[in-house]
Amino acid sequence: MKKWLYLLSAVIIWVIIGFLIFDFLPAQSRPAARTKQEISRIISTAPNITEILFALGLEETIAGVTSDSTYPASAARKPNIGNFWQPDIEAIIAAKPDLVVTLGFPLYPQQQNLADRLRRFSYNSLTVFHTENLSDLFDTIEKIGTVTQRQQQANDLAADIKQKLERIEVLVAEKENVRVLYVVQRNPLRVAGRNTFINEMIELAGGENAIGATIQKYPPISTEQLITCNTDVIIEPTMGQEKSELLEQSGLQYWSRFENVPAVKNKRIYIVADDAISQLGPRVAEGVETIARCLKPKLFEK
Amino acid sequence: MAQLLTKKKLFFQIILAVVVLILVVLCCSLIGTKQISLRTVFALTEQPNTINPDYEIFFHVRLPRIFLACIVGAALACSGVVFQAILRNPLADPYILGISSGAGLGTIIAIISGLSLGILGNSPIAIFAFIGAMGTIWLVWFIGRLAGKSNVTGLLLAGVVVNAFFSAVIMFLTSIAKSQQIYATIFWLMGNITEERIFVLWMSAGLTTSGIVALFYISPQLNALSFGADDARSMGIDTSRTQLIGFAVAALITSIAVCLSGLIGFVGLIVPHGVRLVFGPDHRRLIPLSAITGAIFLAAADTLARTIVAPAQLPVGIVTAIAGGPFFLLLLIRYTRKIGWINK
C-alpha cells in the first residue's frame, strides 16, 4: 500500500512542478519584434500561395517551396522544403525565413500545426484560412500584399483577375446556361457538387452544375443520377496524373455505356489540365476560360 | 537461463538498457535532413541577435521529437505487455479494445466540426482523440463486464463489436467530409511524431513513467495471471483488482500516446514479444525492459522515417511495420530453439 501512496504523491508533485515551472499557455507570436524588419526570405507551403507570391513580384525573396509548386516554371527551381502534406520543419528552419505563409485549420490541420510550431519558435508565420471561394482568394491576396508591403501590386493583381473574369462573363452571357458535370473520379463516380469553388467557376463560365444541392462537396453519384441529370457537357480533370491521351482512351470506353446522356451522344466530353481550376490561385481566370471553352466553344472561335 | 531473478540483476539490466537508450538518443539527434554536428550546435554566431539554426534544430526540433518518440514507444510497448497478460492473448496490442476506432472517431469529429477549442493550447484533434480513446475503452470495459467478471472472451468480443460500430460511423463521416479533411484525418491517424512544447513533454513523461512504475508494481500478479484466472485466484491473487488496475493504467498511457502521436502500430505488438523472446516472460523484467526497448525502437524508427525520403517524411507507422517485421522473425527463429514456451 505504501508504494502506491509514494507513487501517487510523486505524480501529483511532478504535475504541480510542471504547472509552476513551465509556460503552459502557448507562446503568443511576438510580432512587434519581427514584422518591423524587411521581409527578404519567404517560404510558401502551398502551390497557390507560391503563385500569388510570384504574381506580386516577390520571386527573389522566395527561399523555399513545397515540391508541388510547379507554376511558374522557375518555382520548381526554388529550394525544396517537403511536400504540401508533410512540410519538413528542419528544412524550413535551415532556410532562415523571415516569413512563412501557410494554409490553415480546419481544412489543412497539418499546415496549421506547422504554423503554430513555427510561431512557438518566434518565426513570423502568416496563416491564410478559408481558401474555398473567390472572395477568399481576393482576401488572401490582400493579406499577403499587406504583410509583404506590396499592397499596390496586390490591388493590381486583384483588379486584373476581376477584369479578366468580367470579360469572360460578358462573353458567355449571350447564350443560355449549359448543364455540365465535373467528374473528379470515375470509380466510384464522384462529381463536384454545388458548394465547391469549382461550381462557382462553372457558373462564371456560363454553365450550370447538372447535380442539385448535396451535403457532400464531392458526392459520389449513382448511374441513375447520371442519366437523369441530362448533362450537356462532361469535364474531367487530369489531376496531374495520367497523360490526357490515356484518359481520353479510357474515357471513350467508360462513357460509351451511357449513350443516352446528351454529353456522350454529342461527344462533348473534355479532359482538361486542371491546375488552374483545382487550386484557387491567380490563374483562376484561366481556369474559368478553360471551362468556358468546353461549354461554349463557338464563342471562342473568333 | 533458468536462474532466479534477483533485485541486483534486474537493476543492472535496467541500467544497461537506459545507457543504450541514451546512446541511441544522442545518435538520432545528430541525424536528420540538415547536417549538423555537436560543434556547430554550440558554436556562437557572429551577430549576437541572430539565431544559430543548428542550435534551433537540435534543441527545439530534434531532441523534443526524439523525446516524444521515446515516451510514446515506452507507453505503447508497456501497455502491449499488459494487455497481452490480462487478455492472455499473444495477438493483443494496445489498440485491441477499441482505442483505435475511438481515437479515429474523435479525430474525424474534431476535423469535420472545425472546432478550434483546445485546452491549454493543445490542438483540438489531440483532445478529441484522447476523449475518444478513453471513452471507448471504458465503454468496452463496461460491456465486457456485463458478460461476466474476469471473462476475457467477453471483453475481446465487446472490443470487436465496438470497433466495428465506430468504424462504420467513421466511414459515414468520411463520406460526407471534404477531401482535404479526409487526407488530414488519414495523415493524423497514420501516426506522426513532431516536436511538442516542453510543458506537454513534461506532463506526458511524468504520467507515462508513473504508469509504467504502477504496472511494474503489479507485475508479480501479472505473472500469476498468465497461468489463468482460476490458478491465480487459488494462489491468493485478487484477479479483478489486478485486471482493473492493469487495464486502467494501460488504457491511460495508450490514450496519452495516441493523442500525442496518432495510431502507431506494431510497437505494442512486437516489442513485448521480442523482449519476451530474449529475456523471458517474467513481467518484473518484461515491463521495464519493454518500455525501454519500445523507446529505443520508436526513436530509431522515427529517425529513419524522417531521413529516408527527405525532405518529405514517411509516417512512422510504415517504418515500424517494415523494420519490425523481419527483425522480429529473426528473433523468433533464433530464440524459439532456446526457449520452448511458444510451443505450449
Side-chain angles (χ1 to χ4, degrees), chain B residues 207-226:
Chain B
L207 288 171
T208 307
T209 315
S210 46
I212 296 175
V213 170
L215 293 174
F216 178 70
Y217 283 170
I218 60 166
S219 46
Q221 289 92 321
L222 290 176
N223 280 341
L225 255 185
S226 52

Side-chain angles (χ1 to χ4, degrees), chain A residues 14 24 86 88 90 117, chain B residues 33 62 195 197 202 311 313:
Chain A
W14 181 277
F24 52 87
Q86 302 202 298
D88 183 0
E90 282 188 25
R117 281 148 65 198
Chain B
T33 46
R62 285 201 197 149
E195 71 283 349
R197 293 159 29 224
W202 175 272
Q313 298 176 83

Side-chain angles (χ1 to χ4, degrees), chain B residues 281-296:
Chain B
D282 187 346
H283 285 91
R284 292 170 295 174
R285 199 165 21 189
L286 198 54
I287 285 185
L289 290 182
S290 324
I292 298 177
T293 310
I296 295 176

